[in-house]
Amino acid sequence: MKLILFGPPGSGKGTQASLLAKKINVPHLSTGDILRLKLNDKDELANELSKIMSSGNLVPDSILNPIVAEKLLSSDCKNGFILDGYPRNKSQSNFLIDFLQKNKIDLDHIIDFKADTETIKNRIIQRSKIENRSDDNLEVIKTRLEKYFAETQPLAGFFRDNFEGKFFEINAMQEISKIQSEIENRLKNA
Ligand code: ADP
């Protein structure tokens, strides 16, 4: 199964992506996780990435698009994938659509996580107490949310219009287990 998850930071899409990935046995491709792993290299690129990410800004497409393309073509992804955190802007979306067409990869579903801003902010603040992410503080959350509303959310509209019958929304303000069972039901009945 080939899925894309959309949703604001803190909407829990990473949590659900990882639960679902185990259940349906496909890789969870989180661009945030992939980039955070790169930070361990402690080279020049890691330095550059670290600055961008801890400010809440988007990493350049020229860095991210080839990473995603390579992952999607790897044998791990031949039975499917869950893409989480990508595409995040129009140019990534254009790149992805073109890439999928050229490689005859058909998406099965696009899931859009819906949650209000207050809930999201609270969740990220809670998460910051457990995980040590440099971008989980109020100032940076503001930038991440601005980026999300300006660049990423409009993409969901594009996918809704162009992938009719494959796109659905999920209420992400519910408990983790409730969201999980709603997603599984939607996928079963699709
Ligand atoms: P969240 O969705 O909770 O904000 P992620 O873990 O998905 O966090 O991403 C963390 C950071 O990694 C982003 O703020 C951004 O700097 C970078 N990043 C992740 N995915 C992308 C992407 N598709 N394009 C550009 N930057 C990205």
Side-chain angles (χ1 to χ4, degrees):
M1 186 146 13
K2 300 177 182 82
L3 305 173
I4 297 183
L5 306 191
F6 279 113
S11 59
K13 60 187 190 316
T15 304
Q16 294 299 333
S18 124
L19 289 167
L20 189 60
K22 284 198 192 91
K23 176 112 190 167
I24 62 176
N25 200 22
V26 297
H28 169 201
L29 296 184
S30 153
T31 45
D33 287 349
I34 294 168
L35 291 169
R36 277 185 287 279
L37 260 185
K38 293 231 173 272
L39 298 183
N40 294 335
D41 294 348
K42 303 216 181 318
D43 54 9
E44 214 172 295
L45 174 63
N47 239 341
E48 189 190 339
L49 290 177
S50 166
K51 271 190 222 137
I52 301 170
M53 291 166 74
S54 56
S55 67
N57 286 302
L58 293 185
V59 167
D61 302 337
S62 56
I63 297 178
L64 212 48
N65 287 344
I67 295 178
V68 172
E70 190 195 325
K71 293 267 175 204
L72 291 180
L73 288 178
S74 75
S75 59
D76 290 1
C77 288
K78 71 175 186 315
N79 294 325
F81 51 80
I82 302 177
L83 207 41
D84 157 19
Y86 184 98
R88 242 179 169 91
N89 61 26
K90 192 66 191 153
S91 94
Q92 291 179 8
S93 167
N94 289 342
F95 175 84
L96 180 67
I97 299 281
D98 187 50
F99 172 87
L100 294 174
Q101 264 166 7
K102 279 193 183 128
N103 291 285
K104 301 198 171 32
I105 299 171
D106 270 334
L107 293 173
D108 292 291
H109 296 285
I110 298 99
I111 311 176
D112 192 17
F113 282 58
K114 297 299 217 188
D116 68 37
T117 314
E118 261 334 281
T119 308
I120 290 166
K121 281 190 187 156
N122 288 334
R123 281 189 188 167
I124 300 180
I125 295 299
Q126 287 309 316
R127 178 170 76 186
S128 70
K129 294 175 188 156
I130 307 163
E131 291 175 23
N132 190 19
R133 275 180 54 168
S134 60
D135 57 351
D136 277 352
N137 61 68
L138 269 181
E139 195 49 41
V140 179
I141 293 168
K142 226 178 118 228
T143 309
R144 285 159 63 197
L145 284 174
E146 277 167 14
K147 293 268 158 210
Y148 171 77
F149 287 115
E151 301 198 37
T152 313
Q153 199 187 39
L155 298 181
F158 169 82
F159 278 82
R160 177 190 285 110
D161 297 343
N162 286 276
F163 290 85
E164 235 191 296
K166 296 187 169 187
F167 180 99
F168 64 88
E169 287 180 357
I170 210 89
N171 171 6
M173 315 244 286
Q174 314 176 83
E175 275 178 28
I176 291 178
S177 59
K178 182 79 177 47
I179 301 174
Q180 189 185 4
S181 59
E182 264 189 31
I183 293 177
E184 286 173 12
N185 282 337
R186 289 296 296 255
L187 297 182
K188 234 185 280 162
N189 297 325

